[in-house]
Amino acid sequence: MDTGTFNLPEIPSIPDLSGFGTPDSTPFLDGWYEGTIVEQRTSTDRNGNERTFASEDAPSTNGDSRNIKLQVIVKRQSDERTANMRYMVNYRPADLTAETVAAVVAQQAKVKSEGAQWDELFRPFVTLQRLHVLQDVAGVRQFQRNGNGGLDIHGLFGKTVYVRLAEDDRDNRYRMIKAVSATPPKKAPVL
């Protein structure tokens, strides 16, 4: 078998290929970022299939509560790179009754003044806090019903929101939205 000799030209100079081919994959770090809540977003997976993700208020899988799922496009200030993320608030209709709200307000006063524990009111307390922040983002005093058993979240679409990213509870290679604010944080930079 004759392999022969090939006369290849010499390589003139070796170019810098650091920015060639793959997009910047520098991960988003833990911290605060500016984002925009959108009604829906589309994404193309590795196989070229397009998927649509919608912001919605829908019943949970087991049906005993509801999930507000918000699609948020998070933007990094340093390079304008964006990441598609989801923020979810789970609530039970009972969390929004006048009795529950009054009980949470009374318990909050006891926690502050006496150091009492939250016990069974902790979950509704967290839920009400999260819904309050979303009302601030939407610029409304209170959400209205959507006609399908949930809350009308249309007032959130297109709104700027500040989100705190941290390690995803399920997979530490990813980041998830851990907190939301209508205003930029005062003690931390927006990355």
Side-chain angles (χ1 to χ4, degrees), residues 71-83:
Q71 303 303 321
V72 182
I73 299 174
V74 178
K75 181 177 72 173
R76 186 165 50 198
Q77 300 290 322
S78 62
D79 59 2
E80 305 272 322
R81 183 169 167 228
T82 60

Side-chain angles (χ1 to χ4, degrees), residues 33-134:
Y33 295 85
E34 183 178 306
T36 304
I37 299 171
V38 295
E39 185 170 2
Q40 67 179 22
R41 63 179 173 80
T42 54
S43 178
T44 305
D45 66 18
R46 293 179 183 151
N47 298 325
N49 300 318
E50 193 171 279
R51 295 185 60 195
T52 300
F53 301 91
S55 291
E56 63 182 354
D57 180 331
S60 65
T61 304
N62 63 7
D64 69 342
S65 61
R66 297 189 64 86
N67 292 321
I68 295 174
K69 297 175 187 170
L70 298 175
Q71 303 303 321
V72 182
I73 299 174
V74 178
K75 181 177 72 173
R76 186 165 50 198
Q77 300 290 322
S78 62
D79 59 2
E80 305 272 322
R81 183 169 167 228
T82 60
N84 295 323
M85 303 205 142
R86 182 181 79 172
Y87 179 66
M88 190 172 84
V89 175
N90 176 271
Y91 68 95
R92 294 180 181 142
D95 295 338
L96 306 179
T97 65
E99 295 80 18
T100 300
V101 172
V104 167
V105 169
Q107 189 66 18
Q108 187 174 18
K110 287 182 182 179
V111 167
K112 286 182 180 178
S113 66
E114 304 167 16
Q117 298 297 312
W118 279 103
D119 299 323
E120 73 278 350
L121 289 175
F122 183 71
R123 186 188 179 290
F125 167 70
V126 170
T127 298
L128 293 172
Q129 276 189 320
R130 290 177 178 167
L131 289 173
H132 170 73
V133 169
L134 293 182

Side-chain angles (χ1 to χ4, degrees), residues 106-177:
Q107 189 66 18
Q108 187 174 18
K110 287 182 182 179
V111 167
K112 286 182 180 178
S113 66
E114 304 167 16
Q117 298 297 312
W118 279 103
D119 299 323
E120 73 278 350
L121 289 175
F122 183 71
R123 186 188 179 290
F125 167 70
V126 170
T127 298
L128 293 172
Q129 276 189 320
R130 290 177 178 167
L131 289 173
H132 170 73
V133 169
L134 293 182
Q135 287 177 170
D136 281 352
V137 171
V140 298
R141 187 166 177 259
Q142 67 185 53
F143 285 117
Q144 301 299 312
R145 291 181 180 93
N146 67 6
N148 294 322
L151 300 174
D152 183 359
I153 59 172
H154 285 88
L156 292 166
F157 303 155
K159 298 290 183 164
T160 297
V161 66
Y162 295 89
V163 298
R164 184 174 56 84
L165 301 185
E167 188 175 284
D168 191 318
D169 298 333
R170 296 163 296 197
D171 189 336
N172 64 5
R173 295 175 298 167
Y174 300 103
R175 298 288 170 264
M176 67 184 292
I177 297 174

Side-chain angles (χ1 to χ4, degrees), residues 12-28:
S13 64
I14 300 173
D16 177 6
L17 301 174
S18 61
F20 183 76
T22 59
D24 178 17
S25 60
T26 306
F28 279 64

